């Protein structure tokens, strides 16, 4: 059947010959259902999809056709493009101010290396922890050009943290997970995001780490995820890799040092392995009973 939407001759079809294939039909239903749900959510005070509140207030959901849906999708796309342009404008402006060191009023000192100039207003706006640090009595009385110290971060890690606070993005090359050094940076940033209350940075680090978990780094990822209370999904992902490749992981040279530092996690791994073995045994038993019935 030639489809009037995806078919090669759709442009010359006219009613009443128009037909639609099953995938296009289901896709149209899904789009309309999504927009109807979004409209109901906005009407109930839930706000609907982020940034599209009130978009469908003049549309009758019971008579909504594909032409109206397409117009609404185009409007959503225009709003998304506008939001991206606004974000790019802010990113370039703040990022340039930091890179050029324009009118900086504080130096952030890492655990090693020289201090990095920054702006108090940006630090305070991005982190409630920094806001309280900078608004303390002793900071108010400090002279211009004062310094705040973050000794747990190396110079390259602090540079990545500040770059994220200014631009909202992780440097693709510096924060890649292809090497242990890059992985170390992401681990440090994840812990810093939790300590200094920058949840957006935490989510960005967690996403990259979760996508790169493998038997060779599962223990390191599990260890750092256990330190951060908001990383339950990352911990579950790392634990799953450990269980799936238990023999390779447990008999590795790294596991001994890991066990010394993380006795509690080793208990969790042992219990999870036993539960997995018991579940597999139960499944085999049930299959055997089914065979003999």
């Amino acid at each position: 059947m030639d489809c009037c939407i995806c078919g090669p001759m759709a442009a010359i079809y006219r009613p009443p010959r128009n037909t639609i294939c099953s995938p296009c039909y289901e896709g149209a239903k899904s789009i309309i259902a999504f927009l109807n749900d979004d409209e109901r959510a906005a009407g109930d005070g839930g706000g609907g999809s982020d940034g599209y509140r009130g978009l469908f207030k003049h549309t009758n959901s019971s008579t909504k056709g594909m032409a109206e849906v397409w117009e609404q999708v185009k409007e959503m796309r225009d709003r998304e493009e506008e939001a991206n342009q606004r974000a790019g404008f802010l990113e370039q402006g703040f990022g340039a101010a930091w890179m050029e060191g324009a009118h900086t009023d504080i130096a952030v000192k890492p655990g090693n290396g020289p201090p990095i100039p920054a702006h108090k207003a940006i630090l305070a706006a991005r982190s409630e922890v920094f806001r309280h640090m900078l608004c303390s009595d002793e900071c108010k009385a400090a002279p211009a050009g004062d310094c705040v110290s973050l000794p747990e971060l190396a110079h390259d890690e602090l540079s990545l943290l500040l770059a994220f606070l200014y631009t909202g993005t992780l440097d693709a090359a510096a924060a890649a997970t292809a090497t242990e050094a890059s992985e170390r940076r992401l681990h440090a940033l994840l812990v810093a995001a939790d300590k200094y209350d920058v949840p957006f940075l935490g989510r960005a680090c967690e996403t990259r780490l979760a996508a790169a978990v493998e038997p060779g780094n599962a223990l390191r990822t599990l260890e750092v995820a256990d330190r951060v209370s908001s990383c339950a999904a990352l911990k579950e992902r790392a634990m799953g890799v450990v269980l799936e490749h238990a023999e390779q992981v447990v008999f590795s040279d790294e596991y001994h040092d890991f066990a010394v530092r993380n006795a509690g996690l080793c208990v969790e791994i042992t219990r999870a392995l036993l539960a997995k073995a018991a579940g597999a045994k139960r499944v085999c038993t049930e299959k055997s009973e089914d065979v003999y019935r």
Side-chain angles (χ1 to χ4, degrees), residues 94-209:
F94 290 137
W98 178 62
M99 293 296 293
E100 296 169 4
H103 307 294
T104 56
D105 53 6
I106 192 170
V108 186
K109 186 177 181 181
N112 64 335
I116 301 177
H119 300 82
K120 291 181 180 179
I122 297 296
L123 299 183
R126 300 301 192 204
S127 164
E128 284 294 327
V129 176
F130 284 139
R131 180 191 296 272
H132 291 307
M133 290 172 60
L134 297 173
C135 290
S136 64
D137 291 337
E138 63 181 28
C139 281
K140 287 180 181 178
D146 55 346
C147 179
V148 61
S149 181
L150 306 183
E152 71 277 10
L153 295 176
H155 187 272
D156 57 342
E157 297 164 355
L158 177 60
S159 180
L160 284 174
L161 171 63
L162 292 176
F164 188 90
L165 294 181
Y166 278 84
T167 66
T169 58
L170 283 172
D171 183 273
T177 53
T179 65
E180 286 194 19
S182 300
E183 180 187 303
R184 169 187 58 79
R185 296 188 191 103
L186 282 176
H187 288 175
L189 289 174
L190 182 63
V191 175
D194 180 65
K195 179 177 181 179
Y196 297 107
D197 192 21
V198 190
F200 186 38
L201 173 59
R203 290 194 296 271
C205 294
E206 186 175 2
T207 298
R208 294 198 182 201
L209 289 170

